[in-house]
Amino acid sequence: MSGVKTLSEFIIERQDDFPYATGELTRLLNDIVIATKIINREVNKAGLVNIIGATESENIQGETQQKLDVMADNQFISALQNGGEACGLASEENDHELIFKSDFAKKGNYVVAFDPLDGSSNIDVNVSIGTIFSIFRRKSKVGEEANLQDFLQKGDEQVAAGYIVYGSSTMLVYTTGNGVNGFTLDPSIGEFCLSHPNMKIKEDGKIYSLNEGNYPFFSQGVRDYIEYCKEDDKETNRPFSARYIGSMVADFHRNLIKGGIFIYPETTKAPNGKLRILYECNPMAFIMEQAGGAATTGKQRIMDVELTELHQRVPCIMGSKKMVEKMLTFL
Ligand code: AHM
Ligand code: MG
């Protein structure tokens, strides 16, 4: 396979970049990759088998769970539970953190937070969806059971984060704090192959992505910024293009590649916005900053926010540095 670098080869090659280079994080990333390959397989045949549509249950946030959400969640749980590197996990689909009880798992050094299938409203309509993950070193003692505090760490404490976008091709993008690299799944060999080395977001862009239907519920500052995006001004490349898929992973991925800003602000209906910091905003903020972009709540850097709850929400503004800086002048 000359000229092709697989994700497994790349992870091993970069192992020494990790602050704790014992090979555990490498194995943990590999466990995650296996889960995502299975999820990818299921997502790809979603219309053929009885796996699209809603379940009869809701998650703790009152959202109806889709069958694929639950399938993806289960894939992650079993991959991490059996892997031995993680001592616990937290996910969008589980009300509370899941602490692994086996002696084997208690020796694990890491906890993982994830959104197994992001963009649930797009599942049934064949539009891109994604998976997001975030990895921390535990705070609790190795050998004991993990606890909630292991998950309530600031974004700055992440040791790795990534996402998978199930789109026209399936891509995995991740960082361990040494830049961002992207891999495309080659279905013929079942391997993610390095396709986007050292990803960098443009300093400035001309795409803005937000759910403008919420305009009446936005603050005056956000409304003013939207009006700014639509003004006609050749010198600053305006009007910008509006692009909004409704899958954070897909919107983020496009903006990362083309330059742009992704916004999910607070609204009068949702004073902290919609997106959850632990497994949506923090991992994406880590990737965004590592790619040279910026990620803020509008008031502070996302990765500086203190966490007090597992499913805590924060307003989210991330993308090309100059666009984020410009937006902040309106807020
Ligand atoms: P989900 O995790 O339940 O799918 O919700 C998160 C998604 C994001 O992917 C996306 O950015 C946002 O919700 C879209 O929300 P809205 O439909 O309010 O625009
Ligand atoms: Mg989500």
Side-chain angles (χ1 to χ4, degrees), residues 170-236:
T170 297
M171 266 196 79
L172 183 148
V173 173
Y174 85 105
T175 183
T176 55
N178 287 290
V180 179
N181 290 283
F183 301 79
T184 303
L185 183 66
D186 180 341
S188 66
I189 56 169
E191 290 282 359
F192 284 102
C193 300
L194 182 63
S195 52
H196 295 63
N198 196 19
M199 296 172 88
K200 291 283 172 215
I201 187 166
K202 287 182 186 146
E203 231 195 332
D204 209 354
K206 38 184 184 180
I207 293 175
Y208 73 104
S209 318
L210 86 171
N211 187 342
E212 225 172 308
N214 288 327
Y215 193 93
F217 313 118
F218 290 152
S219 67
Q220 194 53 47
V222 174
R223 290 184 197 178
D224 291 344
Y225 180 67
I226 295 172
E227 297 311 323
Y228 166 84
C229 292
K230 296 195 234 192
E231 273 164 22
D232 186 11
D233 178 39
K234 272 207 184 73
E235 229 167 78
T236 49

Side-chain angles (χ1 to χ4, degrees), residues 100-331:
F100 301 156
K101 305 284 180 195
S102 70
D103 290 340
F104 169 63
K106 279 189 218 163
K107 291 189 190 130
N109 268 310
Y110 295 95
V111 293
V112 183
F114 58 91
D115 180 354
L117 260 200
D118 182 62
S120 301
S121 67
N122 283 324
I123 291 176
D124 289 357
V125 293
N126 221 338
V127 172
S128 295
I129 47 183
T131 293
I132 309 173
F133 64 89
S134 166
I135 303 176
F136 292 95
R137 268 183 92 81
R138 68 189 296 175
K139 289 279 179 208
S140 54
K141 257 203 183 143
V142 178
E144 294 179 0
E145 281 184 18
N147 60 50
L148 177 60
Q149 296 310 319
D150 291 319
F151 298 94
L152 301 184
Q153 301 190 50
K154 285 201 285 193
D156 256 344
E157 312 258 5
Q158 293 173 100
V159 293
Y163 65 80
I164 294 86
V165 55
Y166 310 100
S168 44
S169 61
T170 297
M171 266 196 79
L172 183 148
V173 173
Y174 85 105
T175 183
T176 55
N178 287 290
V180 179
N181 290 283
F183 301 79
T184 303
L185 183 66
D186 180 341
S188 66
I189 56 169
E191 290 282 359
F192 284 102
C193 300
L194 182 63
S195 52
H196 295 63
N198 196 19
M199 296 172 88
K200 291 283 172 215
I201 187 166
K202 287 182 186 146
E203 231 195 332
D204 209 354
K206 38 184 184 180
I207 293 175
Y208 73 104
S209 318
L210 86 171
N211 187 342
E212 225 172 308
N214 288 327
Y215 193 93
F217 313 118
F218 290 152
S219 67
Q220 194 53 47
V222 174
R223 290 184 197 178
D224 291 344
Y225 180 67
I226 295 172
E227 297 311 323
Y228 166 84
C229 292
K230 296 195 234 192
E231 273 164 22
D232 186 11
D233 178 39
K234 272 207 184 73
E235 229 167 78
T236 49
N237 278 318
R238 287 178 292 150
F240 297 152
S241 289
R243 293 281 183 277
Y244 190 68
I245 295 168
S247 283
M248 182 193 203
V249 172
D251 280 309
F252 178 102
H253 185 68
R254 180 204 50 245
N255 292 0
L256 176 62
I257 289 178
K258 297 199 161 184
I261 187 167
F262 171 83
I263 307 162
Y264 209 110
E266 68 271 31
T267 63
T268 46
K269 285 178 159 179
N272 294 314
K274 173 181 184 187
L275 301 173
R276 276 76 24 137
I277 186 160
L278 180 62
Y279 42 79
E280 291 175 323
C281 301
N282 265 339
M284 297 311 236
F286 191 17
I287 296 167
M288 184 50 79
E289 286 196 6
Q290 283 292 316
T296 167
T297 65
K299 294 196 175 85
Q300 68 182 129
R301 207 174 141 248
I302 288 178
M303 290 202 289
D304 280 338
V305 174
E306 298 280 355
L307 273 77
T308 52
E309 285 170 40
L310 208 58
H311 299 288
Q312 188 173 324
R313 298 172 197 262
V314 280
C316 175
I317 302 167
M318 48 176 76
S320 295
K321 225 176 204 159
K322 286 197 171 156
M323 291 185 90
V324 172
E325 279 164 8
K326 186 71 195 176
M327 177 164 179
L328 287 177
T329 65
F330 287 87
L331 301 183

